[in-house]
Coordinates of all heavy atoms in Angstrom, one line a residue:
I28 N -10.0 -4.6 1.5 CA -8.9 -3.8 1.0 C -8.6 -4.3 -0.5 O -8.6 -5.5 -0.7 CB -7.6 -4.1 1.8 CG1 -7.9 -3.6 3.3 CG2 -6.4 -3.4 1.2 CD1 -6.7 -3.9 4.2
E29 N -8.5 -3.3 -1.3 CA -8.1 -3.5 -2.7 C -6.8 -2.8 -3.0 O -6.7 -1.6 -2.7 CB -9.2 -3.0 -3.7 CG -8.9 -3.3 -5.1 CD -10.0 -2.8 -6.0 OE1 -11.2 -3.0 -5.7 OE2 -9.7 -2.1 -7.0
I30 N -5.8 -3.5 -3.5 CA -4.5 -2.9 -3.8 C -4.2 -3.0 -5.3 O -4.4 -4.1 -5.9 CB -3.4 -3.7 -3.0 CG1 -3.6 -3.5 -1.5 CG2 -2.0 -3.1 -3.4 CD1 -2.8 -4.4 -0.7
T31 N -3.8 -1.9 -5.9 CA -3.4 -1.9 -7.3 C -1.9 -1.6 -7.4 O -1.4 -0.6 -6.9 CB -4.2 -0.8 -8.0 OG1 -5.6 -1.1 -7.9 CG2 -3.9 -0.8 -9.5
E32 N -1.2 -2.5 -8.1 CA 0.3 -2.3 -8.2 C 0.5 -1.2 -9.2 O 0.0 -1.2 -10.3 CB 0.8 -3.6 -8.7 CG 2.3 -3.5 -9.1 CD 2.7 -4.8 -9.8 OE1 2.3 -5.9 -9.5 OE2 3.5 -4.7 -10.8
R33 N 1.5 -0.3 -8.9 CA 2.0 0.7 -9.8 C 3.4 0.3 -10.3 O 3.8 0.5 -11.4 CB 2.0 2.1 -9.2 CG 0.7 2.7 -9.0 CD 1.0 4.1 -8.4 NE -0.2 4.9 -8.7 CZ -0.1 6.2 -8.9 NH1 1.1 6.8 -8.7 NH2 -1.2 6.9 -9.1
E34 N 4.2 -0.2 -9.3 CA 5.6 -0.5 -9.7 C 6.2 -1.5 -8.7 O 5.9 -1.4 -7.5 CB 6.4 0.8 -9.5 CG 7.9 0.7 -9.7 CD 8.6 2.0 -9.5 OE1 8.0 3.0 -9.1 OE2 9.8 2.0 -9.7
I35 N 6.9 -2.4 -9.2 CA 7.7 -3.3 -8.4 C 9.1 -3.4 -9.0 O 9.3 -3.5 -10.2 CB 7.2 -4.8 -8.3 CG1 5.8 -4.8 -7.6 CG2 8.1 -5.7 -7.6 CD1 5.2 -6.1 -7.5
E36 N 10.1 -3.2 -8.2 CA 11.5 -3.1 -8.7 C 12.4 -3.9 -7.7 O 12.2 -3.8 -6.5 CB 12.0 -1.7 -8.8 CG 13.3 -1.5 -9.4 CD 13.3 -1.6 -10.9 OE1 12.3 -1.2 -11.5 OE2 14.3 -2.0 -11.5
V37 N 13.3 -4.7 -8.2 CA 14.3 -5.4 -7.4 C 15.7 -5.0 -7.9 O 16.0 -5.1 -9.1 CB 14.2 -7.0 -7.5 CG1 15.2 -7.7 -6.7 CG2 12.7 -7.4 -7.2
V38 N 16.5 -4.5 -6.9 CA 17.9 -4.1 -7.2 C 18.8 -4.7 -6.1 O 18.7 -4.3 -5.0 CB 18.0 -2.6 -7.2 CG1 19.5 -2.2 -7.5 CG2 17.1 -2.0 -8.3
G39 N 19.5 -5.8 -6.5 CA 20.4 -6.5 -5.5 C 19.5 -7.0 -4.3 O 18.6 -7.8 -4.5
D40 N 19.9 -6.6 -3.1 CA 19.2 -7.1 -1.9 C 18.1 -6.2 -1.5 O 17.6 -6.3 -0.4 CB 20.2 -7.3 -0.8 CG 21.2 -8.4 -1.0 OD1 20.8 -9.4 -1.7 OD2 22.3 -8.4 -0.5
F41 N 17.7 -5.3 -2.3 CA 16.6 -4.4 -2.0 C 15.5 -4.5 -3.1 O 15.8 -4.7 -4.3 CB 17.1 -2.9 -1.9 CG 17.9 -2.6 -0.7 CD1 19.3 -2.8 -0.8 CD2 17.3 -2.3 0.5 CE1 20.1 -2.5 0.3 CE2 18.1 -2.0 1.6 CZ 19.5 -2.2 1.5
A42 N 14.3 -4.2 -2.7 CA 13.1 -4.2 -3.6 C 12.1 -3.2 -3.0 O 12.1 -3.0 -1.8 CB 12.5 -5.6 -3.7
W43 N 11.3 -2.7 -3.9 CA 10.2 -1.8 -3.4 C 9.0 -2.0 -4.2 O 9.0 -2.5 -5.4 CB 10.6 -0.3 -3.5 CG 11.1 0.2 -4.8 CD1 10.2 0.7 -5.8 CD2 12.4 0.2 -5.3 NE1 11.0 1.1 -6.9 CE2 12.3 0.8 -6.6 CE3 13.6 -0.2 -4.8 CZ2 13.4 1.0 -7.4 CZ3 14.7 0.0 -5.6 CH2 14.6 0.6 -6.9
F44 N 7.9 -1.7 -3.6 CA 6.5 -1.9 -4.2 C 5.9 -0.5 -4.0 O 5.9 0.1 -2.9 CB 5.7 -2.9 -3.4 CG 4.3 -2.9 -3.8 CD1 3.8 -3.6 -4.8 CD2 3.4 -2.2 -3.0 CE1 2.4 -3.6 -5.2 CE2 2.0 -2.1 -3.3 CZ 1.6 -2.9 -4.4
V45 N 5.3 0.0 -5.1 CA 4.5 1.2 -5.0 C 3.1 0.9 -5.5 O 3.0 0.2 -6.6 CB 5.1 2.3 -5.9 CG1 4.2 3.6 -5.8 CG2 6.5 2.7 -5.4
G46 N 2.1 1.3 -4.8 CA 0.7 0.9 -5.2 C -0.3 1.9 -4.6 O 0.0 2.7 -3.8
D47 N -1.5 1.7 -5.2 CA -2.7 2.5 -4.7 C -3.5 1.5 -3.9 O -3.6 0.3 -4.2 CB -3.5 3.0 -5.8 CG -2.7 4.0 -6.7 OD1 -2.1 4.9 -6.1 OD2 -2.7 3.9 -7.9
F48 N -4.2 2.0 -2.9 CA -5.1 1.1 -2.2 C -6.5 1.8 -1.9 O -6.6 3.0 -1.9 CB -4.5 0.6 -0.9 CG -4.3 1.7 0.2 CD1 -5.3 2.1 1.0 CD2 -3.0 2.3 0.3 CE1 -5.1 3.1 2.0 CE2 -2.8 3.3 1.2 CZ -3.8 3.6 2.1
R49 N -7.5 1.0 -1.7 CA -8.8 1.4 -1.3 C -9.2 0.5 -0.2 O -9.1 -0.7 -0.3 CB -9.8 1.2 -2.5 CG -11.2 1.6 -2.1 CD -12.1 1.4 -3.3 NE -12.4 0.0 -3.3 CZ -13.1 -0.6 -4.3 NH1 -13.7 0.1 -5.2 NH2 -13.3 -1.9 -4.3
V50 N -9.6 1.1 0.9 CA -10.1 0.3 2.0 C -11.5 0.8 2.4 O -11.7 2.0 2.5 CB -9.1 0.4 3.2 CG1 -8.9 1.8 3.7 CG2 -9.6 -0.5 4.4
T51 N -12.4 -0.1 2.6 CA -13.8 0.2 3.0 C -14.0 -0.5 4.4 O -13.7 -1.7 4.5 CB -14.8 -0.3 2.0 OG1 -14.5 0.3 0.7 CG2 -16.2 0.1 2.4
Y52 N -14.6 0.3 5.3 CA -14.8 -0.2 6.6 C -16.1 0.4 7.2 O -16.5 1.5 6.7 CB -13.6 0.0 7.5 CG -13.3 1.5 7.7 CD1 -13.8 2.2 8.8 CD2 -12.4 2.1 6.8 CE1 -13.5 3.6 8.9 CE2 -12.1 3.4 7.0 CZ -12.6 4.1 8.0 OH -12.3 5.5 8.1
T53 N -16.6 -0.2 8.2 CA -17.8 0.4 9.0 C -17.4 0.4 10.4 O -17.0 -0.6 11.0 CB -19.0 -0.5 8.7 OG1 -19.3 -0.6 7.3 CG2 -20.2 0.1 9.4
L54 N -17.6 1.6 11.0 CA -17.3 1.7 12.5 C -18.4 0.9 13.3 O -19.5 0.7 12.8 CB -17.4 3.2 12.9 CG -16.3 4.1 12.2 CD1 -16.6 5.5 12.7 CD2 -14.9 3.6 12.6
R55 N -18.0 0.5 14.4 CA -18.9 -0.3 15.3 C -19.8 0.6 16.1 O -19.7 0.7 17.3 CB -18.1 -1.3 16.2 CG -17.4 -2.3 15.4 CD -16.7 -3.3 16.4 NE -16.0 -4.3 15.6 CZ -15.5 -5.4 16.2 NH1 -15.6 -5.6 17.5 NH2 -14.9 -6.3 15.4
E56 N -20.6 1.4 15.4 CA -21.5 2.3 16.1 C -22.9 2.1 15.5 O -23.0 1.8 14.3 CB -21.1 3.8 15.8 CG -19.7 4.1 16.4 CD -19.3 5.5 16.1 OE1 -20.0 6.2 15.4 OE2 -18.2 5.9 16.5
P57 N -23.9 2.2 16.3 CA -25.2 2.0 15.7 C -25.5 3.0 14.6 O -25.2 4.2 14.7 CB -26.2 2.4 16.9 CG -25.3 2.1 18.1 CD -23.9 2.5 17.7
G58 N -26.0 2.5 13.5 CA -26.3 3.4 12.3 C -25.2 3.8 11.5 O -25.3 4.6 10.5
A59 N -24.0 3.3 11.8 CA -22.8 3.7 11.0 C -22.9 3.2 9.6 O -23.4 2.1 9.3 CB -21.5 3.1 11.7
T60 N -22.4 4.0 8.6 CA -22.5 3.5 7.2 C -21.0 3.3 6.8 O -20.1 3.8 7.4 CB -23.1 4.6 6.3 OG1 -22.3 5.8 6.5 CG2 -24.5 4.9 6.7
P61 N -20.9 2.4 5.8 CA -19.5 2.1 5.3 C -18.8 3.4 4.8 O -19.4 4.3 4.3 CB -19.7 1.1 4.2 CG -21.1 0.6 4.4 CD -21.9 1.6 5.1
K62 N -17.5 3.4 5.1 CA -16.7 4.5 4.7 C -15.5 4.0 3.8 O -14.9 2.9 4.2 CB -16.1 5.3 5.9 CG -15.3 6.5 5.5 CD -14.8 7.2 6.8 CE -14.0 8.4 6.3 NZ -13.7 9.3 7.4
T63 N -15.2 4.7 2.7 CA -14.1 4.2 1.9 C -13.0 5.3 1.9 O -13.3 6.5 1.7 CB -14.6 4.0 0.4 OG1 -15.6 3.0 0.5 CG2 -13.5 3.6 -0.5
E64 N -11.8 4.8 2.0 CA -10.6 5.7 2.0 C -9.7 5.2 0.9 O -9.6 4.0 0.7 CB -10.0 5.8 3.3 CG -10.8 6.4 4.4 CD -10.1 6.6 5.7 OE1 -8.9 6.3 5.8 OE2 -10.8 7.0 6.7
Y65 N -8.9 6.2 0.3 CA -8.0 5.9 -0.8 C -6.6 6.3 -0.3 O -6.5 7.3 0.4 CB -8.4 6.6 -2.0 CG -9.8 6.2 -2.5 CD1 -10.9 6.8 -2.1 CD2 -9.9 5.1 -3.4 CE1 -12.2 6.4 -2.5 CE2 -11.2 4.7 -3.8 CZ -12.3 5.4 -3.4 OH -13.5 5.0 -3.8
G66 N -5.6 5.7 -0.8 CA -4.2 6.1 -0.5 C -3.2 5.4 -1.4 O -3.5 4.7 -2.3
R67 N -2.0 5.8 -1.1 CA -0.8 5.2 -1.8 C 0.1 4.5 -0.8 O 0.2 4.9 0.4 CB -0.1 6.3 -2.5 CG -0.9 6.9 -3.6 CD -0.1 7.7 -4.6 NE -1.0 8.2 -5.6 CZ -1.3 9.5 -5.8 NH1 -0.8 10.4 -5.0 NH2 -2.2 9.8 -6.7
S68 N 0.8 3.5 -1.2 CA 1.7 2.7 -0.4 C 3.0 2.6 -1.0 O 3.1 2.4 -2.2 CB 1.0 1.4 -0.1 OG 1.8 0.6 0.8
L69 N 4.1 2.7 -0.1 CA 5.4 2.4 -0.6 C 6.0 1.4 0.5 O 6.0 1.7 1.7 CB 6.3 3.6 -0.6 CG 7.8 3.4 -0.7 CD1 8.1 2.8 -2.1 CD2 8.5 4.7 -0.5
I70 N 6.4 0.2 0.0 CA 6.9 -0.8 0.9 C 8.4 -1.1 0.4 O 8.6 -1.4 -0.8 CB 6.1 -2.1 0.9 CG1 4.6 -1.8 1.3 CG2 6.7 -3.1 1.8 CD1 3.7 -2.9 1.1
L71 N 9.3 -1.1 1.3 CA 10.7 -1.4 1.0 C 11.0 -2.8 1.6 O 10.7 -3.0 2.8 CB 11.6 -0.3 1.7 CG 13.1 -0.6 1.5 CD1 13.5 -0.5 0.0 CD2 13.9 0.4 2.4
F72 N 11.6 -3.6 0.8 CA 12.0 -4.9 1.2 C 13.5 -5.0 1.2 O 14.2 -4.4 0.4 CB 11.5 -6.0 0.2 CG 10.0 -6.1 0.1 CD1 9.3 -5.2 -0.7 CD2 9.3 -7.0 0.9 CE1 7.9 -5.3 -0.8 CE2 7.9 -7.1 0.8 CZ 7.2 -6.2 -0.1
K73 N 14.1 -5.8 2.1 CA 15.5 -6.0 2.2 C 15.8 -7.5 2.4 O 15.2 -8.1 3.3 CB 16.2 -5.2 3.3 CG 17.7 -5.4 3.4 CD 18.3 -4.5 4.5 CE 19.8 -4.7 4.5 NZ 20.4 -3.9 5.6
R74 N 16.6 -8.1 1.6 CA 17.0 -9.5 1.7 C 18.0 -9.7 2.8 O 19.1 -9.0 2.8 CB 17.5 -10.1 0.4 CG 17.7 -11.6 0.5 CD 18.1 -12.2 -0.8 NE 18.4 -11.3 -1.9 CZ 18.0 -11.5 -3.2 NH1 17.3 -12.5 -3.5 NH2 18.4 -10.7 -4.1
G75 N 17.8 -10.5 3.8 CA 18.7 -10.8 4.8 C 19.8 -11.8 4.5 O 19.7 -12.4 3.4
G76 N 20.7 -12.0 5.3 CA 21.8 -13.0 5.1 C 21.3 -14.4 5.0 O 21.9 -15.2 4.4
D77 N 20.1 -14.7 5.5 CA 19.5 -16.0 5.4 C 18.6 -16.1 4.1 O 18.0 -17.2 3.9 CB 18.6 -16.2 6.6 CG 17.5 -15.2 6.8 OD1 17.3 -14.3 5.9 OD2 16.7 -15.4 7.7
G78 N 18.6 -15.1 3.2 CA 17.9 -15.1 2.0 C 16.5 -14.7 2.1 O 15.8 -14.6 1.1
R79 N 15.9 -14.5 3.3 CA 14.5 -14.1 3.5 C 14.4 -12.6 3.3 O 15.2 -11.8 3.7 CB 14.0 -14.5 4.8 CG 14.0 -16.0 5.0 CD 13.5 -16.4 6.4 NE 12.2 -16.0 6.6 CZ 11.5 -15.9 7.7 NH1 12.1 -16.3 8.8 NH2 10.3 -15.5 7.8
W80 N 13.2 -12.2 2.7 CA 12.9 -10.8 2.5 C 12.2 -10.3 3.7 O 11.3 -11.0 4.2 CB 12.1 -10.7 1.2 CG 12.8 -10.9 0.0 CD1 12.9 -12.1 -0.8 CD2 13.6 -9.9 -0.8 NE1 13.7 -11.9 -1.9 CE2 14.1 -10.6 -1.9 CE3 13.9 -8.6 -0.6 CZ2 15.0 -9.9 -2.8 CZ3 14.7 -8.0 -1.5 CH2 15.3 -8.6 -2.6
R81 N 12.6 -9.1 4.1 CA 11.9 -8.5 5.3 C 11.5 -7.1 4.9 O 12.1 -6.5 4.0 CB 12.8 -8.5 6.5 CG 13.0 -9.9 7.0 CD 14.0 -10.0 8.2 NE 14.1 -11.3 8.7 CZ 14.9 -12.2 8.2 NH1 15.6 -12.0 7.1 NH2 15.0 -13.4 8.8
I82 N 10.6 -6.5 5.7 CA 10.1 -5.1 5.4 C 10.6 -4.2 6.5 O 10.1 -4.1 7.6 CB 8.6 -5.1 5.3 CG1 8.1 -6.1 4.3 CG2 8.1 -3.7 5.1 CD1 6.6 -6.2 4.2
P83 N 11.7 -3.5 6.2 CA 12.2 -2.5 7.2 C 11.5 -1.2 7.1 O 11.5 -0.4 8.1 CB 13.7 -2.3 6.8 CG 13.7 -2.6 5.3 CD 12.7 -3.6 5.1
R84 N 10.8 -0.9 6.0 CA 10.0 0.4 5.9 C 8.7 0.1 5.2 O 8.7 -0.6 4.2 CB 10.8 1.5 5.2 CG 12.1 1.8 5.8 CD 11.9 2.7 7.0 NE 13.2 3.1 7.5 CZ 14.0 2.5 8.4 NH1 13.6 1.3 8.8 NH2 15.1 3.0 8.8
D85 N 7.7 0.8 5.6 CA 6.3 0.7 5.0 C 5.6 2.0 5.3 O 5.5 2.4 6.4 CB 5.6 -0.5 5.7 CG 4.2 -0.6 5.1 OD1 3.7 0.1 4.2 OD2 3.5 -1.6 5.6
M86 N 5.3 2.7 4.2 CA 4.6 4.0 4.4 C 3.3 4.0 3.5 O 3.3 3.7 2.4 CB 5.6 5.1 3.9 CG 5.0 6.5 4.1 SD 6.1 7.8 3.5 CE 5.5 7.8 1.8
D87 N 2.3 4.5 4.2 CA 1.0 4.7 3.5 C 0.6 6.2 3.7 O 0.9 6.8 4.7 CB -0.1 3.8 4.1 CG 0.2 2.4 3.9 OD1 0.7 1.9 2.9 OD2 0.1 1.6 4.9
S88 N 0.0 6.7 2.7 CA -0.5 8.1 2.8 C -1.8 8.3 2.1 O -2.1 7.6 1.1 CB 0.5 9.1 2.3 OG 0.7 8.9 0.9
P89 N -2.7 9.1 2.7 CA -4.0 9.3 2.0 C -3.8 10.0 0.6 O -2.8 10.7 0.4 CB -4.7 10.3 2.9 CG -3.9 10.4 4.1 CD -2.5 9.9 3.8
A90 N -4.7 9.6 -0.3 CA -4.6 10.2 -1.6 C -6.0 10.3 -2.2 O -6.9 9.4 -1.9 CB -3.7 9.4 -2.5
P91 N -6.3 11.3 -3.0 CA -7.6 11.3 -3.6 C -7.8 10.2 -4.6 O -6.9 9.6 -5.2 CB -7.6 12.7 -4.4 CG -6.1 12.9 -4.6 CD -5.4 12.3 -3.5
H92 N -9.1 9.8 -4.7 CA -9.4 8.7 -5.6 C -9.2 9.2 -7.0 O -9.5 10.4 -7.4 CB -10.9 8.4 -5.4 CG -11.4 7.2 -6.3 ND1 -11.3 7.2 -7.6 CD2 -11.9 6.1 -5.9 CE1 -11.8 6.1 -8.1 NE2 -12.2 5.3 -7.0
R93 N -8.6 8.4 -7.9 CA -8.2 8.8 -9.2 C -9.4 9.4 -10.0 O -9.3 10.3 -10.7 CB -7.6 7.7 -10.0 CG -6.2 7.4 -9.6 CD -5.7 6.3 -10.5 NE -4.3 6.0 -10.2 CZ -3.6 5.1 -10.8 NH1 -4.1 4.4 -11.8 NH2 -2.3 4.9 -10.5
E94 N -10.5 8.7 -9.9 CA -11.7 9.1 -10.7 C -12.2 10.5 -10.1 O -12.6 11.3 -10.9 CB -12.9 8.1 -10.5 CG -12.5 6.8 -11.2 CD -12.2 6.9 -12.7 OE1 -13.0 7.6 -13.4 OE2 -11.3 6.3 -13.2
A95 N -12.1 10.7 -8.8 CA -12.6 12.0 -8.3 C -11.7 13.1 -8.6 O -12.1 14.3 -8.7 CB -12.7 11.8 -6.7
A96 N -10.4 12.8 -8.9 CA -9.4 13.8 -9.2 C -9.5 14.3 -10.6 O -8.9 15.3 -11.0 CB -8.0 13.3 -8.9
R97 N -10.2 13.6 -11.5 CA -10.3 14.0 -12.9 C -11.3 15.1 -13.1 O -12.2 15.4 -12.5 CB -10.7 12.8 -13.7 CG -9.6 11.8 -13.8 CD -10.0 10.6 -14.6 NE -8.9 9.7 -14.6 CZ -8.9 8.5 -15.1 NH1 -10.0 8.1 -15.8 NH2 -8.0 7.7 -15.0

């Protein structure tokens, strides 16, 4: 998995991360070839009363590869 940061912002007890990702995998089937998928990710963080950051929301969605979209 390769992740590229687009944006990180912290506002009070909330923060978010926006990025692009590329994941390459091979299915466990005879003769399977590696497959690469691209997508975007949005992760929301919330600081708890104990000061620890937690992830209440995490969303990923498929997206075309930037080079292929040009």
Side-chain angles (χ1 to χ4, degrees):
I28 297 174
E29 181 180 313
I30 299 171
T31 303
E32 172 191 324
R33 285 182 158 210
E34 175 185 5
I35 293 179
E36 185 80 28
V37 179
V38 178
D40 289 333
F41 289 91
W43 58 88
F44 167 89
V45 178
D47 298 313
F48 66 86
R49 178 182 75 181
V50 60
T51 301
Y52 60 91
T53 304
L54 297 175
R55 293 184 182 192
E56 297 176 359
T60 58
K62 182 174 181 175
T63 300
E64 294 184 3
Y65 300 89
R67 294 195 178 112
S68 182
L69 169 65
I70 303 171
L71 177 66
F72 298 86
K73 183 178 181 184
R74 186 175 10 222
D77 60 0
R79 295 180 61 193
W80 289 94
R81 293 177 174 80
I82 300 173
R84 301 287 185 271
D85 178 359
M86 185 185 82
D87 299 315
S88 64
H92 185 301
R93 285 183 175 181
E94 294 301 317
R97 290 181 184 176

